[in-house]
Amino acid sequence: MLRRRLLVFPVVAALAWAGAVAGGGPGPASASGPATRSAGPAAQAPAKPDKVVIIVVDALSRRIVEKYDMKNVERLMTRGVDTPRGYLGHTGAVTVVTHNVITSGMLPKNMGWTSEGFRDVDGVLGPEGGLYISSNFGYNEMAALQEHAGYPHLSDYLDDSGKVFTVSPKGYAAYGLAGPGSPNTSVVTFTSGPTCEGQRYRMPTGVPAPPTYIGAECGSRYLVERDKGYDTLQFPAQLYPATDDRYVVGDEPAHQGGDIWATDAVLDIMDHEQDAWSGIFVSLPGVDKAAHMWGGVRDPEAATPGYDPMTHMRYAARTADAQVGRIMTALRQSGELASTLVVLTADHGSVAAAEGHWHGDFEPENDYGYYNWYYGDAENDVAYDRPQEALQPLVDTGKIGLTYSDSMLSVWLDDRSRETVAQVASVMEDLPDVTAVWRRDGSHYFRVSPVRRDRMTTPGERKWFDNKAQELLDTQAVGYGPDLVATLPDDTTYSVLGDHGGIQRASQRIPIVFGGAGLAPTDLRAEVRSVDIMPTILKALGIRPVYAMDGKAYALPRRK
């Protein structure tokens, strides 16, 4: 029987690993197969890789890679197997969903939850039909839903050949990547920590407890400072501000947080465990945090009063890129790169609200954005009872159990009669910037409103909607998913100025890159999706799946 076990790696910036793989620029994709790119002499790779490193850079769209010149990420794309037409491939396009998709190969409709809202139709967590906010799930809640759905995780396949480690400053990201776990699996994340010499800290925790070399005692490098707001306690960042060094690097050199914290932990694991590990999965949250706070690629940067570069997009992108470089360098210097399959991807992209297309409210309170994200009284959170003005007509129907609003509007109804569904759908159709309203019936979403093409500003946006909207929405068509969904244009959010969740190209067009393991520089011409990562990994490792996955396994060309 398979045992549970995980592996994720953070992203770093150093360029030293570049010498490990020589290669030229990308070549055109052929009509019959992948386009290969020339590579210089390289050491003979083993027949099959036997280790896996997954680096998830949260919110990393391909546009962000290009705008902020992320050289290490671009180098992986050039030197490894890139997927220029790859995309996320599901909704909701959110962290709490995608991390689990990556290491399960299951679409949201088959994996246990589909979005930040969740209806417990089978009574797994409590009373049947109870409504929950999934980003509040701890390890036990997420494991219960994973086990109820019945599929294995990547950690289950890797567990027999070595230890698996998952590292993320964000707990629910770590638990999704890791799966339910086993004695041979270790999750490393954050929890509230001690007060040392008057300073409050966050400290590492996990399931089971982290290795002893990732210390939680006063003075440990792995404690990071709390009560730090930097320049984020103002609009728009105050909607979801940095209030400690969990997601940002911080200004304390001995206790750096965010992406550097995660990468330091990964490198410590690689150093201490050496040949004992078989998988490392790491999630880097810095880009995501900056994008939420400052509006993604519309970040005002130096125009911000009291500007601190450390909280903004350019710094976050360069920091994440540096972590990718550090990890690749460590693999090369240890001699592990040739036998390790490296996957670089994102859990979603980032939609940047244009002027006039942000439909949230703001009050000068930390984390007021939660009142834009949620309306309703979930079983595992406070009652969110201050809906933004734009959503008020929906609330006035009196039929709402829970809403989740980001770059898509999702509704779970108290009363799911046909009459109520029609009434609420009619109200949603008239909300600001809605392009279409969709009703779930079984395993399909049916469009119940005209398509507002006049709200889509470019031919490319309209073409993407025509080609992808139905496919993406149907990936969450299941009883625990939303009853009604409203799609929004490319540059629109209802929550914070930079967000995710919907069908927009900015949220869907993410990097999916495979490196290491003697792979030949290649562009796959297929539209590879996040759900395809897991079966592709198993194929590369020569492991036969024991469960039918939703994703497709692609052959990764290797050097001859």
Side-chain angles (χ1 to χ4, degrees), residues 487-511:
T487 49
L488 302 173
D490 273 359
D491 57 357
T492 303
T493 69
Y494 267 63
S495 44
V496 293
L497 265 68
D499 215 347
H500 48 60
I503 67 168
Q504 295 94 335
R505 291 171 296 176
S507 195
Q508 292 286 327
R509 295 281 289 119
I510 62 166

Short mmCIF file of all heavy atoms in Angstrom, two decimals, residues 487-511:
data_model
loop_
_atom_site.label_atom_id
_atom_site.label_comp_id
_atom_site.label_asym_id
_atom_site.label_seq_id
_atom_site.Cartn_x
_atom_site.Cartn_y
_atom_site.Cartn_z
N THR A 487 -18.72 35.54 -14.65
CA THR A 487 -17.39 35.82 -15.17
C THR A 487 -17.22 37.34 -15.35
O THR A 487 -18.20 38.07 -15.54
CB THR A 487 -17.15 35.10 -16.50
OG1 THR A 487 -18.27 35.32 -17.38
CG2 THR A 487 -17.00 33.60 -16.27
N LEU A 488 -15.96 37.77 -15.30
CA LEU A 488 -15.62 39.19 -15.36
C LEU A 488 -14.57 39.43 -16.44
O LEU A 488 -13.86 38.50 -16.83
CB LEU A 488 -15.08 39.66 -14.00
CG LEU A 488 -16.00 39.47 -12.79
CD1 LEU A 488 -15.25 39.81 -11.50
CD2 LEU A 488 -17.25 40.32 -12.91
N PRO A 489 -14.40 40.67 -16.89
CA PRO A 489 -13.38 40.96 -17.92
C PRO A 489 -11.96 40.81 -17.41
O PRO A 489 -11.70 40.62 -16.22
CB PRO A 489 -13.69 42.42 -18.30
CG PRO A 489 -15.07 42.69 -17.81
CD PRO A 489 -15.25 41.83 -16.60
N ASP A 490 -11.02 41.00 -18.33
CA ASP A 490 -9.61 40.79 -18.05
C ASP A 490 -9.07 41.64 -16.92
O ASP A 490 -8.17 41.23 -16.20
CB ASP A 490 -8.78 41.08 -19.31
CG ASP A 490 -8.66 39.86 -20.22
OD1 ASP A 490 -9.20 38.81 -19.87
OD2 ASP A 490 -8.02 39.99 -21.28
N ASP A 491 -9.57 42.85 -16.77
CA ASP A 491 -8.94 43.83 -15.87
C ASP A 491 -9.84 44.19 -14.69
O ASP A 491 -9.83 45.33 -14.23
CB ASP A 491 -8.58 45.10 -16.65
CG ASP A 491 -9.80 45.73 -17.34
OD1 ASP A 491 -10.90 45.14 -17.25
OD2 ASP A 491 -9.64 46.80 -17.95
N THR A 492 -10.61 43.24 -14.18
CA THR A 492 -11.65 43.52 -13.19
C THR A 492 -11.52 42.63 -11.98
O THR A 492 -11.33 41.41 -12.12
CB THR A 492 -13.04 43.33 -13.81
OG1 THR A 492 -13.16 44.18 -14.96
CG2 THR A 492 -14.14 43.66 -12.82
N THR A 493 -11.63 43.22 -10.78
CA THR A 493 -11.72 42.46 -9.54
C THR A 493 -12.75 43.10 -8.64
O THR A 493 -13.06 44.29 -8.75
CB THR A 493 -10.37 42.40 -8.78
OG1 THR A 493 -10.07 43.70 -8.27
CG2 THR A 493 -9.24 41.92 -9.68
N TYR A 494 -13.28 42.31 -7.71
CA TYR A 494 -14.26 42.77 -6.73
C TYR A 494 -13.67 42.76 -5.31
O TYR A 494 -14.39 42.96 -4.35
CB TYR A 494 -15.48 41.86 -6.74
CG TYR A 494 -16.61 42.30 -7.64
CD1 TYR A 494 -16.44 42.39 -9.02
CD2 TYR A 494 -17.87 42.62 -7.11
CE1 TYR A 494 -17.48 42.77 -9.84
CE2 TYR A 494 -18.91 43.00 -7.93
CZ TYR A 494 -18.72 43.07 -9.30
OH TYR A 494 -19.76 43.46 -10.11
N SER A 495 -12.41 42.54 -5.16
CA SER A 495 -11.85 42.22 -3.84
C SER A 495 -10.71 43.17 -3.49
O SER A 495 -10.90 44.16 -2.78
CB SER A 495 -11.37 40.77 -3.85
OG SER A 495 -10.66 40.49 -5.06
N VAL A 496 -9.51 42.87 -3.96
CA VAL A 496 -8.34 43.73 -3.82
C VAL A 496 -7.85 44.06 -5.23
O VAL A 496 -8.30 43.47 -6.20
CB VAL A 496 -7.25 43.05 -2.98
CG1 VAL A 496 -7.71 42.87 -1.54
CG2 VAL A 496 -6.85 41.69 -3.56
N LEU A 497 -6.91 45.01 -5.34
CA LEU A 497 -6.57 45.50 -6.68
C LEU A 497 -5.82 44.48 -7.53
O LEU A 497 -5.87 44.54 -8.76
CB LEU A 497 -5.76 46.79 -6.57
CG LEU A 497 -6.61 48.06 -6.69
CD1 LEU A 497 -7.52 48.24 -5.49
CD2 LEU A 497 -5.74 49.29 -6.88
N GLY A 498 -5.13 43.55 -6.90
CA GLY A 498 -4.51 42.45 -7.63
C GLY A 498 -5.08 41.14 -7.12
O GLY A 498 -5.00 40.87 -5.92
N ASP A 499 -5.66 40.33 -7.99
CA ASP A 499 -6.30 39.11 -7.50
C ASP A 499 -6.30 38.03 -8.57
O ASP A 499 -5.60 38.11 -9.57
CB ASP A 499 -7.72 39.41 -7.02
CG ASP A 499 -8.11 38.57 -5.80
OD1 ASP A 499 -7.40 37.59 -5.49
OD2 ASP A 499 -9.13 38.88 -5.17
N HIS A 500 -7.10 37.00 -8.38
CA HIS A 500 -7.09 35.79 -9.20
C HIS A 500 -8.44 35.13 -9.05
O HIS A 500 -9.37 35.71 -8.49
CB HIS A 500 -5.98 34.85 -8.71
CG HIS A 500 -5.97 34.66 -7.21
ND1 HIS A 500 -7.02 34.14 -6.51
CD2 HIS A 500 -5.03 34.97 -6.27
CE1 HIS A 500 -6.74 34.10 -5.22
NE2 HIS A 500 -5.53 34.62 -5.05
N GLY A 501 -8.57 33.91 -9.57
CA GLY A 501 -9.78 33.14 -9.35
C GLY A 501 -10.53 32.78 -10.60
O GLY A 501 -11.17 31.73 -10.67
N GLY A 502 -10.50 33.65 -11.62
CA GLY A 502 -11.39 33.47 -12.75
C GLY A 502 -10.75 32.92 -14.00
O GLY A 502 -9.70 32.28 -13.98
N ILE A 503 -11.41 33.20 -15.11
CA ILE A 503 -11.03 32.65 -16.41
C ILE A 503 -10.05 33.54 -17.16
O ILE A 503 -9.57 33.16 -18.22
CB ILE A 503 -12.27 32.42 -17.29
CG1 ILE A 503 -12.91 33.78 -17.67
CG2 ILE A 503 -13.27 31.51 -16.60
CD1 ILE A 503 -13.96 33.67 -18.75
N GLN A 504 -9.74 34.71 -16.63
CA GLN A 504 -8.92 35.68 -17.37
C GLN A 504 -7.56 35.10 -17.76
O GLN A 504 -6.96 34.34 -17.03
CB GLN A 504 -8.70 36.94 -16.53
CG GLN A 504 -9.96 37.74 -16.25
CD GLN A 504 -10.58 37.37 -14.92
OE1 GLN A 504 -10.39 36.26 -14.42
NE2 GLN A 504 -11.33 38.27 -14.34
N ARG A 505 -7.08 35.55 -18.90
CA ARG A 505 -5.77 35.08 -19.37
C ARG A 505 -4.67 35.40 -18.35
O ARG A 505 -3.75 34.60 -18.16
CB ARG A 505 -5.44 35.74 -20.71
CG ARG A 505 -6.31 35.26 -21.86
CD ARG A 505 -6.10 36.09 -23.10
NE ARG A 505 -6.52 37.47 -22.89
CZ ARG A 505 -6.37 38.44 -23.79
NH1 ARG A 505 -5.79 38.18 -24.95
NH2 ARG A 505 -6.79 39.67 -23.54
N ALA A 506 -4.77 36.58 -17.70
CA ALA A 506 -3.75 36.95 -16.72
C ALA A 506 -3.72 35.99 -15.55
O ALA A 506 -2.69 35.80 -14.91
CB ALA A 506 -3.99 38.37 -16.22
N SER A 507 -4.84 35.38 -15.24
CA SER A 507 -4.90 34.40 -14.15
C SER A 507 -4.54 33.00 -14.63
O SER A 507 -4.07 32.18 -13.84
CB SER A 507 -6.30 34.39 -13.54
OG SER A 507 -6.33 33.73 -12.31
N GLN A 508 -4.74 32.73 -15.90
CA GLN A 508 -4.59 31.37 -16.43
C GLN A 508 -3.24 31.10 -17.11
O GLN A 508 -2.76 29.97 -17.10
CB GLN A 508 -5.71 31.09 -17.45
CG GLN A 508 -7.10 30.99 -16.84
CD GLN A 508 -7.30 29.69 -16.09
OE1 GLN A 508 -6.77 28.65 -16.47
NE2 GLN A 508 -8.10 29.73 -15.02
N ARG A 509 -2.61 32.13 -17.67
CA ARG A 509 -1.39 31.90 -18.46
C ARG A 509 -0.17 31.92 -17.54
O ARG A 509 0.41 32.97 -17.24
CB ARG A 509 -1.26 32.98 -19.55
CG ARG A 509 -2.36 32.92 -20.59
CD ARG A 509 -2.13 31.83 -21.62
NE ARG A 509 -1.02 32.22 -22.50
CZ ARG A 509 0.10 31.53 -22.63
NH1 ARG A 509 0.29 30.42 -21.94
NH2 ARG A 509 1.05 31.94 -23.43
N ILE A 510 0.20 30.75 -17.08
CA ILE A 510 1.29 30.59 -16.11
C ILE A 510 2.42 29.76 -16.70
O ILE A 510 2.22 29.02 -17.67
CB ILE A 510 0.77 29.91 -14.83
CG1 ILE A 510 0.25 28.50 -15.15
CG2 ILE A 510 -0.29 30.76 -14.15
CD1 ILE A 510 0.03 27.62 -13.95
N PRO A 511 3.62 29.85 -16.13
CA PRO A 511 4.70 28.95 -16.57
C PRO A 511 4.45 27.52 -16.08
O PRO A 511 4.00 27.31 -14.95
CB PRO A 511 5.94 29.52 -15.88
CG PRO A 511 5.55 30.85 -15.34
CD PRO A 511 4.08 30.81 -15.13
#
